Amino acid sequence: MAVPAGFLVISLLLSCFAATSYGVYFSSLKETLEVTASPTKGQVLKAGDDKITVTWRFNQTYSAGTDSDYKTIKVKLCYAPISQKDRSWRKTVDLLKKDKTCPHKIVARPYTASNNSFTWTVERDIPSAVYFVRAFAVNAEDQQVAYGQTTDAHKSTNLFEVQAITGRHVSLDITSVCFSAFSIVSLAGFFYMEKRKSKASQ
Amino acid sequence: MPEIEGSPGTSMHGVTGREPVLAFSVASPMVHMDHNAKFDLPVDSEHKATVFKLFSFANPHMRTFHLSWISFFTTFISTFAAAPLVPIIRDNLNLTKSDIGNAGVASVSGSIFSRLVMGAVCDLLGPRYGCAFLIMLSAPTVFCMSFVSDASGYIVVRFMIGFSLATFVSCQYWMSTMFNSKIIGLVNGTAAGWGNMGGGATQLLMPVLFEIIKKAGATPFTAWRIAFFVPGWFNVIMGILVLTLGQDLPDGNLGALQKKGDVAKDKFGKVLWYAVTNYRTWIFVLLYGYSMGVELTIDNVIAEYFYDRFDLQLHLAGIIAACFGMANLLARPFGGFTSDYMAKRFGMRGRLWNLWLLQTAGGVCCVCLGLVNSLPLAITFMMLFSIGAQAACGATFGIIPFISRRSLGIISGMTGAGGNFGSGLTQLIFFASAPFSTAKGLTYMGLMIIGCTLPVSLVHFPQWGSMFLPPSKDIVKGSEEHYYVSEWTEEEKQKGMHQASLKFAENCRSERGGKVASAPTPPNNTPGHV
């Protein structure tokens, strides 16, 4: 019985390892897209209010036919290294399946070589952080085949900031105070009434 | 008394063949029943119930049970409500990894202090007031989450909400006043275990509330704040129910009984002294830190561990995390049950061995949890670990009521505080700012559990023995009365303040175990051949 059990354990472990190492690596992608975004360097955008205009096109210096398998362009908002520090849930990993650098989708469009642009209002669930924009070219099997980004290879230039909404509201604050007051007052009331009852019964 | 109690031939246990085998009820003549008392359940001479009827709400015993465990459940929901929502909160408040870790430590640290205070409050004012005051005063702290806008505010609010975990002490204390010592292991284990389930229930409840509120139109960064109103209102409602429906003791409320003179008023300084100078208290403070403490730590880190290590989606990681906490439904009562079961045959020695076995097994599974790389194995070891640790919690509180009668409240409080201290310590050492990965942290924590469980072998009761040593052969020193009455001075005994301890001593003679069916021969009856 020990042998089949051991075999089962080992095959489970191997299958887990096998599954995780299959996929596209970012370092294998070519930067064939030119992407620009409207925010200037260091600009602070307000979530829910301000807009970003993204434009992208195929870099013509690459030979024609390089973009033959590009089906869709997915444009994403990505964290700059400073906003990834001490935050392992935003880590950059080469295997794109596990990469958490670019979680926020801006737009997905069918691929055309030029004249692409999109204006996006920064959504209200975007957290306060420093960002850049990256676009992935995706083939028919939904695998990334190329990319372009608004910053350099070290992700240090052309970064902009988003200031998130607080999520707080005055009405919420007032409700909170009222509920708290109810709790304290009813407790005091009960206590006082019980003390009075016991004094009266003496 | 016509016959010498306990002498061979007097026990009627098993004679009719209809006595129940398991510890759901007490039917041995070693427990002095009071048949004149008018309660729904059969009671002993202290009017504590000797039967545990789970689905009854009869006043006072079972009603107390339900009020007690549900209030404790509510505070667990409030304290760990933030944990499953951390992925949203960390984006809203711009938290770093160490902010999140520190908040986790803060959430369990507040109650170190409040559990100590609650022990004293229960001894002096009664568990009903203690429980109600605490949960109604901590409701505002839960509502305060709507004001939080940065890391420091978040840490402070989680710290303040954490104070409410002291309801654990009032819960256990209240059970000890209502239920006989033969079934106290099972009763305490069930009440605390079902309360602890709140840590699991909240991992399911809060994400669901969050989704509903988001669907109703709120943005994520507002929705999670609104979601916190629900645990806050649970606190308020339970507080009101406890005040209106609960009572401290089977015969009434503490204040009224103290005025009538039925219950002696005790001095805090004395109660504290007898708790602190009993070495067993400190051993259990340490032990509980590595059963309950690690359970609280896991409540805070496990969802994130599965999310990151195995790349699960948030709701799936939450479901697995919930399973850990929900195992309390059966695991902790199981620990109390095995404690009572071992006590039937082996007495207190059985209880001690039971505790050591369960807690060490939990530690071994924790070591394995950190080592395995596959998801099914990790879940398996996590569940085995949860059963071991939670059953050990139940087994611990199967023993605590016997350490002292006078200072039960403070000892429960200190042990409970030890649990939280252990949690804060393990989170600090192994997770919050650790240089190694969470997986290694789990393994090291498992090793520490195994090491810190060894001191249970040092716990020795003169009347019952310890894991390796037999009880004292001295007739006087080896009696339960001597142990419990030694907590009172001569003047206090003259005032009759020790009567409750005497009653308790006679009711807990069953801790000698099944083989020792006869009580020691009374001094004025020496056998001829000696």
Side-chain angles (χ1 to χ4, degrees):
Chain A
M1 269 301 120
V3 173
F7 179 71
L8 188 64
V9 168
I10 289 174
S11 56
L12 267 172
L13 288 170
L14 280 177
S15 63
C16 289
F17 277 120
T20 54
S21 53
Y22 172 73
V24 183
Y25 288 83
F26 184 70
S27 47
S28 70
L29 299 180
K30 284 211 203 80
E31 193 174 355
T32 62
L33 300 172
E34 278 174 12
V35 184
T36 54
S38 56
T40 55
K41 174 178 158 163
Q43 184 179 354
V44 178
L45 300 166
K46 283 219 182 71
D49 283 332
D50 293 333
K51 300 191 204 304
I52 300 179
T53 306
V54 187
T55 58
W56 66 93
R57 63 192 179 101
F58 180 66
N59 187 343
Q60 300 297 340
T61 58
Y62 288 89
S63 51
T66 316
D67 60 345
S68 54
D69 56 347
Y70 297 3
K71 204 69 209 296
T72 320
I73 296 288
K74 292 189 177 168
V75 186
K76 299 207 172 159
L77 191 64
C78 309
Y79 292 112
I82 191 168
S83 290
Q84 294 174 299
K85 189 158 169 275
D86 289 329
R87 295 175 175 88
S88 49
W89 58 90
R90 294 179 184 169
K91 217 162 59 161
T92 297
V93 173
D94 201 24
L95 182 62
L96 281 171
K97 245 180 25 181
K98 296 195 158 213
D99 183 39
K100 308 252 177 22
T101 320
C102 305
H104 306 292
K105 291 193 184 53
I106 296 180
V107 73
R109 281 275 174 81
Y111 172 72
T112 55
S114 59
N115 283 339
N116 299 289
S117 94
F118 181 74
T119 303
W120 182 68
T121 311
V122 182
E123 274 166 28
R124 292 199 290 169
D125 62 351
I126 303 292
S128 294
V130 180
Y131 294 93
F132 62 95
V133 177
R134 181 182 285 168
F136 285 105
V138 162
N139 67 9
E141 278 93 49
D142 208 32
Q143 278 184 341
Q144 297 90 338
V145 287
Y147 77 99
Q149 59 191 25
T150 58
T151 183
D152 65 354
H154 297 288
K155 298 183 273 190
S156 54
T157 58
N158 239 354
L159 305 169
F160 58 92
E161 209 178 307
V162 168
Q163 196 181 66
I165 59 166
T166 61
R168 290 180 55 186
H169 286 283
V170 174
S171 56
L172 224 57
D173 294 346
I174 295 176
T175 315
S176 174
V177 169
C178 289
F179 287 168
S180 308
F182 173 76
S183 180
I184 298 176
V185 165
S186 52
L187 176 67
F190 265 106
F191 189 64
Y192 175 67
M193 271 174 40
E194 278 201 6
K195 281 266 166 248
R196 261 186 55 184
K197 243 197 253 174
S198 71
K199 277 216 178 80
S201 64
Q202 263 194 308
Chain B
M1 295 278 133
E3 281 171 317
I4 297 164
E5 268 176 57
S7 63
T10 57
S11 167
M12 297 299 281
H13 190 81
V15 165
T16 63
R18 277 191 252 123
E19 275 86 351
V21 174
L22 301 176
F24 290 113
S25 66
V26 170
S28 119
M30 283 189 194
V31 174
H32 298 260
M33 307 292 287
D34 182 344
H35 297 285
N36 294 324
K38 291 190 180 56
F39 291 107
D40 258 27
L41 302 172
V43 294
D44 66 12
S45 59
E46 292 177 279
H47 290 178
K48 296 185 187 177
T50 53
V51 164
F52 183 43
K53 249 205 235 165
L54 197 50
F55 296 110
S56 149
F57 281 85
N59 205 18
H61 305 97
M62 291 315 300
R63 186 184 292 185
T64 300
F65 171 77
H66 291 293
L67 283 173
S68 205
W69 82 261
I70 298 179
S71 337
F72 186 40
F73 181 86
T74 304
T75 61
F76 250 88
I77 291 191
S78 305
T79 304
F80 293 99
L85 296 179
V86 160
I88 313 294
I89 301 176
R90 69 190 178 193
D91 278 344
N92 188 188
L93 307 179
N94 211 7
L95 304 176
T96 62
K97 177 174 159 164
S98 51
D99 290 331
I100 297 173
N102 289 338
V105 174
S107 67
V108 297
S109 311
S111 68
I112 295 174
F113 176 68
S114 65
R115 283 181 173 194
L116 294 171
V117 172
M118 182 59 104
V121 167
C122 283
D123 277 328
L124 303 170
L125 296 177
R128 190 179 64 113
Y129 275 153
C131 180
F133 264 75
L134 183 60
I135 50 180
M136 290 188 82
L137 288 179
S138 59
T141 61
V142 181
F143 293 130
C144 264
M145 266 298 192
S146 63
F147 291 107
V148 165
S149 55
D150 61 7
S152 47
Y154 176 64
I155 293 174
V156 166
V157 171
R158 282 206 74 181
F159 177 71
M160 292 198 301
I161 298 177
F163 277 107
S164 63
L165 284 183
T167 36
F168 166 72
V169 176
S170 65
C171 174
Q172 299 285 282
Y173 186 96
W174 219 350
M175 296 296 95
S176 308
T177 63
M178 291 282 175
F179 292 90
N180 178 273
S181 58
K182 273 189 102 177
I183 51 174
I184 195 61
L186 178 67
V187 173
N188 266 345
T190 311
W194 289 8
N196 280 13
M197 273 201 309
T202 198
Q203 317 262 4
L204 290 172
L205 174 74
M206 296 305 284
V208 163
L209 285 175
F210 174 71
E211 288 297 325
I212 293 176
I213 296 171
K214 240 182 21 163
K215 282 232 160 59
T219 58
F221 290 173
T222 305
W224 74 267
R225 297 167 188 274
I226 300 176
F228 265 83
F229 283 146
V230 173
W233 267 102
F234 283 166
N235 274 30
V236 174
I237 293 170
M238 279 319 297
I240 294 176
L241 286 177
V242 163
L243 281 174
T244 51
L245 298 177
Q247 62 187 64
D248 291 306
L249 295 161
D251 294 322
N253 280 321
L254 192 65
L257 291 175
Q258 282 174 343
K259 283 218 175 75
K260 279 202 321 199
D262 283 356
V263 178
K265 267 192 170 178
D266 209 342
K267 275 212 197 99
F268 172 70
K270 289 252 158 180
V271 172
L272 180 63
W273 174 256
Y274 285 111
V276 163
T277 52
N278 193 330
Y279 75 94
R280 300 169 193 85
T281 306
W282 297 104
I283 295 183
F284 278 95
V285 167
L286 173 69
L287 249 61
Y288 202 58
Y290 286 89
S291 53
M292 171 50 101
V294 298
E295 183 189 328
L296 296 179
T297 298
I298 296 286
D299 275 338
N300 264 335
V301 311
I302 199 71
E304 214 183 321
Y305 175 69
F306 277 98
Y307 183 78
D308 289 335
R309 181 103 188 264
F310 299 100
D311 284 317
L312 300 177
Q313 290 184 304
L314 186 71
H315 65 271
L316 209 55
I319 290 174
I320 296 177
C323 288
F324 178 84
M326 298 298 273
N328 264 302
L329 176 70
L330 296 173
R332 189 159 174 156
F334 173 69
F337 172 74
T338 53
S339 186
D340 289 340
Y341 183 75
M342 296 282 270
K344 279 190 91 149
R345 288 221 44 211
F346 303 108
M348 180 53 73
R349 176 180 285 184
R351 289 193 194 264
L352 293 166
W353 272 100
N354 175 59
L355 172 58
W356 180 81
L357 282 167
L358 288 168
Q359 196 158 320
T360 305
V364 168
C365 293
C366 185
V367 169
C368 296
L369 171 61
L371 289 175
V372 294
N373 282 320
S374 92
L375 183 62
L377 276 180
I379 296 179
T380 309
F381 279 120
M382 183 197 78
M383 290 313 293
L384 290 174
F385 170 43
S386 78
I387 294 171
Q390 290 161 8
C393 293
T396 304
F397 275 86
I399 301 175
I400 298 270
F402 297 104
I403 297 179
S404 158
R405 176 59 185 82
R406 187 172 189 181
S407 312
L408 172 64
I410 290 199
I411 294 179
S412 297
M414 284 171 71
T415 308
N420 282 58
F421 181 76
S423 178
L425 187 69
T426 47
Q427 280 182 83
L428 258 179
I429 302 176
F430 300 117
F431 302 103
S433 43
F436 38 78
S437 65
T438 307
K440 279 237 163 57
L442 287 169
T443 303
Y444 294 150
M445 188 169 79
L447 293 171
M448 196 169 186
I449 294 171
I450 297 173
C452 290
T453 307
L454 292 172
V456 75
S457 52
L458 301 173
V459 175
H460 178 85
F461 289 92
Q463 68 274 32
W464 300 316
S466 68
M467 271 169 80
F468 298 108
L469 299 172
S472 164
K473 297 259 187 323
D474 188 310
I475 297 246
V476 171
K477 287 219 186 100
S479 72
E480 288 82 359
E481 280 79 5
H482 182 261
Y483 179 80
Y484 290 108
V485 168
S486 63
E487 293 179 320
W488 303 90
T489 63
E490 278 311 314
E491 312 139 40
E492 287 165 339
K493 280 193 237 180
Q494 282 185 355
K495 284 193 220 157
M497 289 169 83
H498 67 303
Q499 291 301 327
S501 291
L502 266 180
K503 273 200 206 148
F504 180 72
E506 70 187 17
N507 277 330
C508 69
R509 235 190 277 291
S510 54
E511 293 308 305
R512 292 169 181 245
K515 286 216 173 120
V516 194
S518 42
T521 326
N524 53 2
N525 229 33
T526 38
H529 63 269
V530 166

